[in-house]
Amino acid sequence: MTETPHRPLSPHLQVWRWHVTMAASILHRVSGVGLAVGMLLVVVWLACLKAGPEAYAGFAAVSGSWFGLIIWIGVSWAAFYHLASGIRHLIWDTGVGFSLGAANALSWASIGFSIGGTAVFWFLLMRAGVLS
Amino acid sequence: MTSPHVKTSEMTGAWIWIKERASALVLLPLMLWALVAGATLAGLDHAETLAWLAQPVNAMLVAVGILVGVYHLHLGLRAIIEDYLHGSTGKLVLMLNLLGCLALAGAGLAFVILIALAQAPAGA
């Protein structure tokens, strides 16, 4: 292996014309990092559950505050997006969906599903009266 | 066989690719379940949440979700780190990623087990 330490490194975001597959790819990473935050919150949730009723009430209060709700809405969007976008990748892995039209459609579908899924998820929670 | 200017993914990329997909397939139904579980748990108090986690199927799925989820998380963060950080900084952050993920999975699993043990009837 010849060493070429000064070769260009990918990706050079600024030289690309914006397109939806690029946005969907970036969002896949963004939502993945968002789910890292979500996993951290799950472990904090378990820690508070173990610590007792007082700690758990504190966790629930922060979760239900406007700040907590923004975080949880973000995490739920990340879950819906990463799920849909992940399926998009699994479809590509089978060797289909690589035409420009199909790739764009799959990417738009992932974005649409994540917005719709998050909206329905929180609508159902609010209708159940959980967030009053 | 290794060179300082070759990314891990260029040496063992196919195996990592398979591990990413295998864990993704396991996580697909688990993530749907997690969304339902999250909606179920929203608004529950401490005792109600403990009762939910006392059901073996819930405790089991939380534990498997943490294990496979953190495994997949480690692979994903590693791919991002390898793209943007190089040299000794990259190596350090890759190490922190591994240690952080091990700590996260270990702590999560430990809490699930400790909660289950605390709830087990005396003498069982």
Side-chain angles (χ1 to χ4, degrees), chain B residues 87-113:
Chain B
S88 52
T89 315
K91 275 190 180 159
L92 177 70
V93 178
L94 282 175
M95 187 61 74
L96 290 175
N97 179 36
L98 179 62
L99 292 176
C101 285
L102 283 172
L104 195 62
L109 216 55
F111 285 128
V112 172
I113 292 168

Side-chain angles (χ1 to χ4, degrees), chain A residues 29 36 49 56 93 121 130, chain B residues 5 21 35 42 46 49 73 83:
Chain A
R29 288 197 161 183
L49 189 62
Y56 198 76
D93 290 340
F121 183 79
V130 172
Chain B
H5 295 289
R21 270 69 190 173
L35 284 163
H46 185 251
T49 308
L73 180 59
D83 272 356

Side-chain angles (χ1 to χ4, degrees), chain A residues 52-107:
Chain A
E54 222 165 283
Y56 198 76
F59 179 85
V62 174
S63 286
S65 70
W66 67 268
F67 176 75
L69 285 177
I70 288 174
I71 300 287
W72 283 121
I73 289 170
V75 169
S76 64
W77 169 80
F80 280 115
Y81 183 78
H82 211 78
L83 193 65
S85 183
I87 292 170
R88 179 183 66 120
H89 273 287
L90 291 172
I91 292 170
W92 279 337
D93 290 340
T94 66
V96 303
F98 282 112
S99 75
L100 197 56
N104 286 343
L106 283 171
S107 301

